[in-house]
Amino acid sequence: MSRLLFPDDFLWGAATASYQIEGSPSADGKGESIWDRFSHTRGNIWNEENGDLACDHYRLYREDVRRMADLGLNAYRFSISWPRIFPQGGGKPNPEGLDFYRRLVEELHSCKIRPAVTLYHWDLPQALQDRGGWANRDTAQYFGEYAAFVFENLDLPVERWITLNEPWVSAFLGYGLGVHAPGINDFNIALQAAHNLLLGHGLAVSSFRDIERGNEPIGITLNLAPVHPASDSKADLAQAERADGFMNRWFLDPLFRGSYPQDMVELFLRSFDFAPAQEEDAGVIAAPIDFLGVNNYTRTVVRAGGSEDDFMGNPINPPGSEYTEMGWEVYPRGIYELLTRLHRDYGPLPLYITENGAAFNDELNRDGTVDDRQRISYLEGYLAEAWNALQEGVPLKGYFVWTLLDNFEWSFGYSKRFGLIYVDYPTQKRYFKNSAYWYRDVISRNGLEV
Ligand code: IFM
């Protein structure tokens, strides 16, 4: 048996997002978000479910923080719901909305759990969507103003700030494929949204630098995955390069190199009504940040599609692999490939794994136990590969399991359980799964025994 120990100051956390756990959609002056609207529109969500109650965390947050402390977490990543703070997106702020997060942060501090606060995890105020949402450049400005308000008024230590969660998903699933809120199906609009999200990120970073918050670091979280060709054929290799351009480089390059990747710009110019970005935006978007948050679950394997302008290709599921309930391949080596590549191509920059985890078909036994050994093996495999990346000099600073509690998995409703903690939704009772106990041991040993 060998011990894979992590650095002494390593962060061991779990992550959640406001709409997925909070419930209380109109409490204390909260405005409507695009996810309130989208989930209440028939046909969008599995079983017509919505986040009205979710894990009732808005009311049960104290108990939930107590459970985090029981697990020994030293960090917790959560997101702020923008329409709780600005019910109309901009204009008059709602102090009661911010008070909830102040109480949450206080509670975390009292348990020695360091908060990592995400400002945007997809719940855009509906009032802004009514004016075009992220397709409208003004939304970036509003986001910068909302961020500045939080930086100035959340007057408690926040050890890490994250501007956006997975802008790729917001733009391309929300505005390109329409499977996420706001449900728009137009790739031209999605490209616009992607750009305005990046601009909003840059504006938030710039207001952060103008506000005195000590040495608190700020970064962004991207969903990233290694892309592999289905074969060594020239066509598959070229396809993998394009898919990587679309899924990874489209966000990494403007953030860390100051421009969109040229190969993809040319491709999008040929295929879409895509206007190259305003020159001055590039500098705003590439404003230096203090870390990159990485969300990784799987890899993508692609076979060449129909044309040389196909940027998605045909994803395949390699035979013989294990798959989670989401249909995602379990591929632990991918996190090593990703972290070392990010360090090589975009570093040096502190990295955090801000999400990693798996949905499986968990069953609550009569005695209150949940034997989720597949999740334990998934997490162990990914953590061991993260440790391998650390041995190669990758500055990995922390790891956040997705997710603390089973919760509302977007268009899949409550049908996918990712949590360390099982939530029995009708009673709102929580039960530690075996993976929660396993994670508690990993944290107390500061590493793995494999
Ligand atoms: O639940 C989501 C989360 O909101 C963003 N990243 C991926 C998770 C699992 O799909």
Side-chain angles (χ1 to χ4, degrees), residues 16-17 20 77 121-122 165-166 169 180 223 295 297 326 328 355 402-403 407-410 412 418:
T16 63
Q20 293 181 273
R77 173 176 176 238
H121 198 127
W122 310 349
N165 181 69
E166 303 184 355
V169 172
H180 274 203
N223 55 303
N295 291 357
Y297 291 85
M326 298 295 284
W328 298 345
E355 286 182 28
W402 185 266
T403 178
N407 60 44
F408 180 78
E409 178 54 25
W410 309 112
F412 296 93
F418 275 90

Side-chain angles (χ1 to χ4, degrees), residues 114-153:
R114 282 169 272 187
V117 175
T118 305
L119 289 163
Y120 185 70
H121 198 127
W122 310 349
D123 39 2
L124 183 74
Q126 179 63 38
L128 293 183
Q129 186 54 44
D130 294 342
R131 298 191 231 161
W134 285 108
N136 182 343
R137 197 177 163 85
D138 293 348
T139 298
Q141 203 67 44
Y142 282 117
F143 179 68
E145 287 164 18
Y146 148 64
F149 178 83
V150 176
F151 299 145
E152 272 165 6
N153 292 284

